[in-house]
């Protein structure tokens, strides 16, 4: 983009990503192989942007790397979505573990996960034991009204 022209690389990259970027650049040039990585760039408005960068060496007639072609895709929105998902999963996990109620997660194949309170409620030794059961293992053979389960 226009905003990246006439700016030194050290002014484009987040300071923590400058060294890894230069190492990646050097490795691509020395090995002659395409390589890439995720790096944080600083836009002119000082906003941090995550970029997936690909470096592709161009070789001359003798097989020596004469230049590198770099391409970058802005994945900032994707990174923000991933971070939001991780935060949401952490909140869920905290609620799941900290609640005083037994919680079991199921799908059509059976139990997928449970908290410690569920292990205690069902009288199992540990989570692995509880998850090895089918839900029908916990049904009474005879229902309170006298009918078979």
């Amino acid at each position: 983009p226009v905003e990246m022209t006439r700016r030194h690389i050290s002014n484009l990259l987040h300071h923590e990503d400058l060294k890894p970027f230069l190492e990646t650049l050097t490795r691509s040039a020395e090995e002659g192989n395409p390589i890439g990585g995720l790096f944080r760039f600083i836009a002119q408005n000082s906003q941090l942007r995550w970029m997936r960068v690909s470096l592709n060496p161009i070789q001359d007639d003798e097989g020596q790397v004469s230049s590198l072609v770099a391409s970058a895709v802005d994945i900032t929105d994707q990174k923000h979505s991933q971070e939001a998902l991780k935060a949401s999963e952490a909140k869920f996990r905290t609620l799941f573990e900290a609640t005083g109620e037994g919680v079991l997660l199921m799908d059509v194949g059976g139990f997928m996960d449970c908290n410690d309170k569920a292990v205690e409620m069902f009288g199992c030794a540990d989570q692995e034991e509880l998850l090895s059961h089918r839900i029908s293992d916990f049904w009474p053979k005879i229902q309170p009204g006298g009918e078979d389960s």
Side-chain angles (χ1 to χ4, degrees):
V2 173
E3 72 176 53
M4 295 179 81
T5 59
R6 295 182 294 279
R7 291 178 65 198
H8 189 271
I9 192 72
S10 63
N11 294 323
L12 291 172
L13 282 160
H14 185 277
H15 70 278
E16 293 175 359
D17 289 354
L18 182 58
K19 183 177 178 184
F21 178 81
L22 293 175
E23 289 170 352
T24 301
L25 185 77
T26 301
R27 195 167 78 229
S28 181
E30 289 176 353
E31 296 174 3
N33 296 320
I35 197 168
L38 299 179
F39 302 99
R40 294 166 290 180
F41 282 77
I42 303 167
Q44 279 186 329
N45 63 3
S46 298
Q47 187 180 37
L48 200 62
R49 308 298 299 176
W50 280 94
M51 304 289 226
R52 177 174 288 118
V53 177
S54 296
L55 300 169
N56 296 288
I58 305 297
Q59 298 177 344
D60 62 20
D61 294 338
E62 288 87 43
Q64 299 297 311
V65 174
S66 59
S67 60
L68 287 168
V69 175
S71 61
V73 176
D74 187 334
I75 61 163
T76 303
D77 292 341
Q78 179 184 350
K79 288 293 275 185
H80 288 172
S81 294
Q82 289 172 346
E83 290 165 4
L85 179 60
K86 282 182 184 177
S88 177
E89 288 172 344
K91 286 179 188 176
F92 169 78
R93 180 55 57 185
T94 298
L95 286 170
F96 182 79
E97 294 297 334
T99 185
E101 302 295 324
V103 180
L104 287 158
L105 299 179
M106 297 177 59
D107 67 6
V108 293
F111 297 129
M112 297 173 15
D113 201 359
C114 64
N115 65 2
D116 291 339
K117 187 66 175 179
V119 171
E120 178 186 326
M121 286 173 54
F122 284 93
C124 294
D126 55 27
Q127 185 182 41
E128 184 178 338
E129 180 187 349
L130 179 54
L131 297 179
S132 70
H133 285 281
R134 295 183 315 253
I135 192 167
S136 61
D137 294 341
F138 298 106
W139 290 342
K141 292 185 183 358
I142 305 289
Q143 293 293 318
E147 298 177 14
D148 287 342
S149 292

